[in-house]
Amino acid sequence: MDNRPIGVFDSGLGGLTAVKALRRLLPGEDLIYFGDTARVPYGGRSRETLLKYARQDIAFLRSFDLKAVLIACGTVTSTSLDTLRKENDLPVLGVVEPSCREALAVTKNKKIGMIATLASARSGAYERTLKGLDADVQVVSQPCPLFVPLVENGRFRQGDVVIETVAREYLTPLIEAGVDTLILGCTHYPLLKDIIGEICGPGVTLIDSGAASARALRQQLAAEGQLTDRQQGETRFYVSDRPEDFEKLAAVFLEEPLSRGAEQEKLPVMISVRGEQYFDDVDPNATELMTEGTLEQTEDGFLLSYQETELTGMEGTLTTFEIGPGRVILRRSGSVNSQMVFEEGRQHTSLYETPYGELSVDIQTSRLLHNLTERGGLMEIKYSIAVEHVVTGRNCFKIRVRRK
């Protein structure tokens, strides 16, 4: 028995096909889903970029104590699965082999079609896997680069002329080749099952890669004694951008409202903080801190958070920088409580807690710049502190952030 959650990730909505199947097959399991909606689609990316993204996705998921990871993405499975398995000390499953095994089990004429993203098709992973399991099988592959962006924009319903026209163009060569089984090699594609099924006709069996991988994961967890003993589990959803858009489409596809809304991903980062204090006729006083923290993208900027340590004299304090266009708000809560507002060329009155009570100080910012992105970057804040209109010191924050 193992009550730890299962992690699932994809570039966007597609992995919900696996989540839907897991919730049906393993209702007692807790699931953590991450959709990298800020960087969807993955299909046109290079192998190196895909591996980098996948490592970051897994790093986020592993900030939870997981018992397994399901890569609900045909593109990442096709290009990066072997490397990711070597780098992680827990079961990491993909979608390619489970869907290939199910396709071979149902085909009658050994002519199997496969539709996928451009990166998956180029990798040849499905063909190698099918041929490795049955050397006599004939595989017909078709990249479908427009499917994912159309699905992510809600164009997956029957009667939509755009998606039906595109689907017919992609599927015609497979129909002409005489395939009797079609692997939906991207977890976005089951959203198009009705359209694809109508075009291909009843003589073609469709293999849902998300559902196939969910069945394979259930089998592996059962064999290793890692299934939970709970009757009802919980699913938490995280995305890297625009959770409100994800929630609308996710609820439609899962055919039920989300029990809890999608949360913005908090990226694990390493933070280097150098604080410098300058006083008249005294050498500068500098403190440097290297620590782990999180970087969260907001509607108009970022939230950067970390825990202070003994080194800074504020152990037990959570420090958060709210970074927006031309403005940064520094909040501390815990053993020390304060709020400081920085805007270049402007003065703000801020509150600062001291052992003697709350102190009101004036913050005059002379320099404020940052080049932060979701990958990290630099931030520098230079400011002076005045108490009762008398400058008591000049300070500087130099902060470097990088993804773990």
Side-chain angles (χ1 to χ4, degrees):
M1 182 190 71
D2 190 336
N3 286 329
R4 292 178 297 168
I6 298 166
V8 184
F9 78 88
D10 185 32
S11 60
L13 277 169
L16 293 176
T17 58
V19 169
K20 186 177 180 181
L22 284 170
R23 281 160 53 140
R24 184 181 70 252
L25 296 169
L26 300 170
E29 299 288 351
D30 284 344
L31 306 177
I32 308 291
Y33 181 78
F34 174 61
D36 191 5
T37 49
R39 301 186 292 202
V40 65
Y42 278 8
R45 313 282 186 173
S46 69
R47 185 181 294 267
E48 293 75 21
T49 298
L50 289 167
L51 179 58
K52 180 178 74 172
Y53 288 178
R55 283 170 168 158
Q56 292 168 350
D57 297 343
I58 289 182
F60 169 70
L61 286 174
R62 294 206 65 179
S63 64
F64 303 89
D65 183 20
L66 303 178
K67 63 183 173 185
V69 172
L70 175 58
I71 303 173
C73 176
T75 301
V76 172
T77 304
S78 299
T79 60
S80 308
L81 178 61
D82 291 343
T83 300
L84 296 171
R85 279 179 168 166
K86 291 175 184 176
E87 294 176 348
N88 289 276
D89 58 354
L90 80 173
V92 178
L93 281 77
V95 299
V96 173
E97 185 172 337
S99 53
C100 288
R101 289 187 179 277
E102 292 198 2
L104 287 169
V106 300
T107 183
K108 295 181 175 61
N109 65 4
K110 292 197 176 186
K111 292 183 179 180
I112 297 177
M114 192 282 297
I115 56 175
T117 65
L118 193 58
S120 291
R122 284 175 176 167
S123 75
Y126 282 92
E127 291 89 335
R128 286 194 303 274
T129 302
L130 286 165
K131 289 286 188 179
L133 295 169
D134 186 340
D136 296 327
V137 71
Q138 180 181 340
V139 185
V140 183
S141 297
Q142 175 65 51
C144 304
L146 294 179
F147 273 175
V148 170
L150 285 169
V151 168
E152 289 285 334
N153 284 280
R155 310 296 292 266
F156 51 80
R157 296 175 178 84
Q158 285 182 293
D160 187 313
V161 176
V162 173
I163 187 61
E164 289 184 347
T165 301
V166 171
R168 193 171 300 279
E169 181 175 337
Y170 285 153
L171 297 170
T172 296
L174 301 170
I175 297 169
E176 292 175 348
V179 303
D180 74 343
T181 304
L182 178 61
I183 296 173
L184 308 182
C186 170
T187 50
H188 283 74
Y189 295 177
L191 284 160
L192 302 170
K193 214 169 187 178
D194 291 342
I195 293 172
I196 293 171
E198 183 178 356
I199 293 171
C200 291
V204 177
T205 301
L206 305 183
I207 304 297
D208 180 334
S209 57
S213 62
R215 286 187 284 269
L217 179 58
R218 177 183 62 175
Q219 184 177 3
Q220 178 168 337
L221 293 177
E224 297 178 0
Q226 288 188 286
L227 293 174
T228 185
D229 62 350
R230 285 189 302 262
Q231 297 301 308
Q232 187 62 49
E234 179 186 41
T235 304
R236 296 177 65 181
F237 300 92
Y238 293 86
V239 295
S240 53
D241 194 23
R242 301 189 67 82
E244 63 281 357
D245 291 347
F246 176 87
E247 289 170 15
K248 292 174 186 175
L249 288 174
V252 170
F253 176 62
L254 291 171
E255 297 178 348
E256 59 180 274
L258 273 63
S259 58
R260 57 190 299 169
E263 301 174 52
Q264 189 85 22
E265 173 200 24
K266 294 183 179 180
L267 303 171
V269 293
M270 292 301 300
I271 304 171
S272 171
V273 183
R274 179 178 174 85
E276 299 174 350
Q277 293 179 304
Y278 301 87
F279 302 95
D280 292 338
D281 304 321
V282 178
D283 291 337
N285 178 27
T287 303
E288 294 192 44
L289 171 68
M290 176 68 77
T291 187
E292 297 181 351
T294 61
L295 181 66
E296 179 180 355
Q297 192 166 6
T298 64
E299 187 172 336
D300 58 357
F302 295 92
L303 286 178
L304 179 67
S305 302
Y306 61 90
Q307 291 285 343
E308 299 285 352
T309 70
E310 289 182 3
L311 181 65
T312 61
M314 294 183 286
E315 186 179 14
T317 299
L318 175 66
T319 292
T320 299
F321 287 91
E322 183 179 314
I323 304 161
R327 180 185 176 100
V328 172
I329 301 175
L330 166 60
R331 293 189 174 93
R332 289 193 171 108
S333 59
S335 62
V336 174
N337 296 284
S338 66
Q339 176 175 301
M340 305 170 75
V341 180
F342 305 103
E343 279 188 283
E344 188 168 321
R346 298 193 63 180
Q347 177 175 296
H348 288 273
T349 299
S350 298
L351 298 176
Y352 202 94
E353 186 184 78
T354 75
Y356 311 103
E358 197 172 78
L359 178 67
S360 176
V361 299
D362 294 326
I363 303 296
Q364 178 73 45
T365 305
S366 59
R367 182 176 177 83
L368 173 60
L369 62 86
H370 79 83
N371 61 358
L372 286 176
T373 69
E374 62 188 18
R375 295 179 294 278
L378 302 172
M379 179 168 67
E380 183 175 335
I381 305 172
K382 289 185 177 181
Y383 62 99
S384 62
I385 297 178
V387 179
E388 296 182 353
H389 309 294
V390 177
V391 174
T392 59
R394 294 179 298 280
N395 296 355
C396 179
F397 281 118
K398 295 180 180 178
I399 300 175
R400 183 183 298 273
V401 181
R402 63 176 176 82
R403 290 283 291 269
K404 289 180 63 178

